[in-house]
Amino acid sequence: MVELGKNISEDSRWLIDFVRRAGAGVIASNSGTGYPESAYVHVAVNDSGRIILGTNALSRKFTNITSDPRVSMVVIHDDAEEVQLEGEAAVLDETQVAAAAEVLSAQHPGATETNDPENMRLLEVTVRWASYTDTREIPPAQRELEL
């Protein structure tokens, strides 16, 4: 997803709504050992289509992402609809944290509260590719989203 602004595609709007409804997903990052590492995370999405999540600076996912920002995610809604996506994750700096924390906390109250506030970090994923699968249909309906 390139900076969406006012030129947001119909599929991008749909993806924003889908991620908001789902509220969580699995993010995979490159461990640097040849094996991917995955983690279940609560997510929110801002109006420009960037996915926001929190993590600890001491976590494997944080270490992985700061070494290689490429990530993939799977977001599932109602055990029937699935979005697979790829993108780049970035650690938000202090000028971006307040707005992102507001978005994340609105969907997940308390998400930015932690026993380790010194190591709390917010990440933002810019989506570059996504596909949708609906398993309620037989055979399952699949399509690549046009972002």
Side-chain angles (χ1 to χ4, degrees), residues 80-82 132-143:
E81 295 178 282
E82 168 190 302
Y132 169 71
T133 302
D134 185 346
T135 62
R136 296 171 296 191
E137 297 183 30
I138 298 175
Q142 295 180 307
R143 70 182 180 93

Side-chain angles (χ1 to χ4, degrees), residues 24-104:
V26 175
I27 188 168
S29 56
N30 181 359
S31 70
T33 65
Y35 292 96
E37 292 176 349
S38 300
Y40 179 81
V41 293
H42 287 106
V43 295
V45 63
N46 63 24
D47 290 337
S48 66
R50 305 263 171 101
I51 297 173
I52 299 166
L53 60 124
T55 191
N56 187 295
L58 304 176
S59 71
R60 294 187 319 165
K61 104 175 72 56
F62 184 82
T63 300
N64 296 345
I65 288 169
T66 54
S67 295
D68 181 349
R70 296 172 299 166
V71 297
S72 63
M73 293 186 74
V74 175
V75 179
I76 298 172
H77 184 261
D78 284 344
D79 293 329
E81 295 178 282
E82 168 190 302
V83 168
Q84 295 179 28
L85 60 91
E86 296 172 354
E88 287 83 36
V91 180
L92 298 178
D93 65 33
E94 58 189 46
T95 65
Q96 303 165 305
V97 166
E102 188 176 309
V103 170
L104 187 59

